[in-house]
Amino acid sequence: MRHGRAAGAAGTLLSLGLLATACGGGGFQSTNGGDPGAGATGTVRMLVNITPNLTKDYWRNLVAPFEKANPGIKVRIEAPTSSDGSVDTTLPQQLAAGSPPDVVEGSHSNKVVPYLRDLSDQKWATSAPMADAQRLDGRLYDVSIGQQAQSLVFYNKTAFKKAGITEEPRTLDELTADMGRLKTAGYLPMQTAGEWVTEAQFMQLFGPTLTTPDKDWYLQAATGKRSLAKDLGPGAALYKSWIDKGYIDKNALGTKYADGETAFLSGKSALYPMGCWFVAAEHAAKKDFEVGVFAVPQTNDPATSRLSVTPGANYRIFKGSSHQTADAKLVKFLTTDKAAVESQLKQDTSYRTGYPYTLSPLSDEVQRLLDDTADGHQAIMGGGEYQMPAGFEDQAGKRIQSLYTGGDPAAAMKTLDSWLKAQTK
């Protein structure tokens, strides 16, 4: 269950056994045994997420100052090659082929952890944002540039005014009533999409009801200590009712992530549940209405809900790389150099204390939400031990998407529960 951006796309990962076989097959094994002191020069292959904000040109320009300061190191930017455009789907394919990258951005799968370098001995890594939240068995494999807020709902202020909605909803029940008013006013109430978006939005919408009374809900769920059928069943039933009432497009599964974003920004829909990375797209879009944002409320409790947060833009180093020093220099630059960090924060609208940037009024609103919840009122969503077992996004996506074709909410969550318990035995 992940943080966001297109990197959250679902994909079925290969088993550890197959990965281990592939590792022993040739190219992945390093002649230096992963010596952290080896390879101060060379070409670093970096697999990155490619999104409307994060283009190949953006990544090339980002690493250009690093290459200039380190003339013996070249950085080769590589895009995901899997059919769903996901980093975490591409990685096992590359491992099976014996050709993994040296550095990867935006990977959250625990399946590849055995092939990653432990950075616990690097002070610059342990000082990174949310470093403790990303540890697995005390070891640190991920270094992030900042923090991302999820469980946000962006909304068309003009649509709210036309529908007679004067206040942001305080509960999901109030949100449901507002969607009825928005539909009457001529809007598609909630913008959704297929691909990874379906699962991501569902978990962002119904997670706060579970994490507000128990901030470690994701940690418990990841280890099979929670019943998804019990905890998420009511949310699935409510979501299905939205589909049946036309508050969500019944044909949304054919909509791609970028097209859903465009539909909201064109004024066709009124509500858009998404992570904070959407702010950059909103800032760049030409539109004739203002966009507001509120944190997803609880189902029927008006008390302020916890804000779901994840590490933003994390980097990993594969320990089989033959130039560990160059890899570490690159990741240290990307996560500590002030200009590089500020560029990434602004480009994908992540946030980090001490690295302020000016982008838009909407960005300032998200920053205020993060600031207001920083003192113990946030829930970690994904990352480290809070990460659901590999394949969860794919399985959850299938179950949630079945609701669009007449599936039963209770049966869908029960099936998902059975899958999760089988992974965590």
Side-chain angles (χ1 to χ4, degrees), residues 1-343:
M1 190 172 313
R2 152 185 208 316
H3 81 52
R5 287 199 273 125
T12 303
L13 296 175
L14 300 178
S15 69
L16 274 177
L18 180 54
L19 291 181
T21 301
C23 175
F28 177 65
Q29 289 185 322
S30 169
T31 55
N32 63 56
D35 177 10
T41 61
T43 297
V44 177
R45 293 173 52 215
M46 184 165 74
L47 175 65
V48 300
N49 281 286
I50 301 297
T51 74
N53 299 336
L54 303 171
T55 64
K56 261 195 171 183
D57 283 342
Y58 170 77
W59 288 112
R60 291 189 182 107
N61 291 332
L62 179 68
V63 301
F66 171 80
E67 291 178 319
K68 184 176 181 180
N70 297 273
I73 304 174
K74 296 296 181 183
V75 182
R76 183 192 304 166
I77 301 299
E78 298 182 357
T81 55
S82 60
S83 60
D84 64 2
S86 165
V87 162
D88 276 333
T89 308
T90 297
L91 281 175
Q93 296 172 357
Q94 292 184 337
L95 282 164
S99 183
D102 302 306
V103 173
V104 60
E105 179 270 340
S107 166
H108 292 268
S109 170
N110 289 346
K111 286 286 189 180
V112 299
V113 166
Y115 309 100
L116 300 178
R117 175 178 170 182
D118 179 9
L119 297 170
S120 301
D121 61 343
Q122 302 294 310
K123 186 176 180 179
W124 57 269
T126 59
S127 301
M130 298 186 73
D132 289 342
Q134 297 196 91
R135 289 180 181 272
L136 283 170
D137 297 325
R139 296 183 175 87
L140 182 64
Y141 304 99
D142 298 83
V143 189
S144 297
I145 63 160
Q147 182 184 62
Q148 290 189 325
Q150 298 202 36
S151 291
L152 302 175
V153 179
F154 298 93
Y155 67 96
N156 181 328
K157 291 186 176 181
T158 298
F160 268 43
K161 185 176 181 180
K162 288 183 178 179
I165 302 170
T166 58
E167 295 181 344
E168 296 168 352
R170 297 176 302 162
T171 66
L172 287 182
D173 289 344
E174 289 185 7
L175 178 64
T176 301
D178 286 345
M179 286 197 280
R181 298 184 183 96
L182 290 164
K183 184 180 180 183
T184 299
Y187 291 90
L188 172 65
M190 182 174 288
Q191 182 64 54
T192 54
E195 301 179 320
W196 60 272
V197 179
T198 321
E199 179 273 339
Q201 286 185 328
F202 179 87
M203 295 306 301
Q204 290 185 45
L205 283 164
F206 301 107
T209 297
L210 305 173
T211 58
T212 299
D214 186 351
K215 66 182 180 65
D216 286 334
W217 183 87
Y218 283 107
L219 178 62
Q220 296 169 17
T223 53
K225 296 177 181 177
R226 301 301 296 246
S227 166
L228 302 190
K230 177 182 178 181
D231 294 352
L232 289 173
L238 180 58
Y239 190 83
K240 179 65 162 58
S241 75
W242 293 347
I243 298 172
D244 293 341
K245 292 175 181 178
Y247 296 168
I248 294 174
D249 182 5
K250 293 181 179 180
N251 299 311
L253 300 186
T255 302
K256 294 187 178 297
Y257 165 56
D259 294 332
E261 182 179 276
T262 298
F264 174 75
L265 290 171
S266 68
K268 296 178 181 178
S269 47
L271 297 158
Y272 187 44
M274 191 51 61
C276 64
W277 53 89
F278 168 73
V279 173
E282 186 274 339
H283 175 62
K286 294 181 180 180
K287 56 192 183 306
D288 59 1
F289 62 91
E290 291 185 17
V291 176
V293 63
F294 57 88
V296 172
Q298 299 179 72
T299 300
N300 52 24
D301 186 343
T304 302
S305 59
R306 289 186 187 275
L307 187 66
S308 299
V309 297
T310 67
N314 64 309
Y315 291 90
R316 293 171 158 183
I317 298 174
F318 276 82
K319 64 184 178 183
S321 170
S322 59
H323 30 68
Q324 293 289 316
T325 300
D327 299 341
K329 279 187 175 182
L330 173 61
V331 175
K332 181 179 181 180
F333 166 81
L334 290 168
T335 57
T336 64
D337 179 84
K338 188 172 179 61
V341 169
E342 288 182 350
S343 172

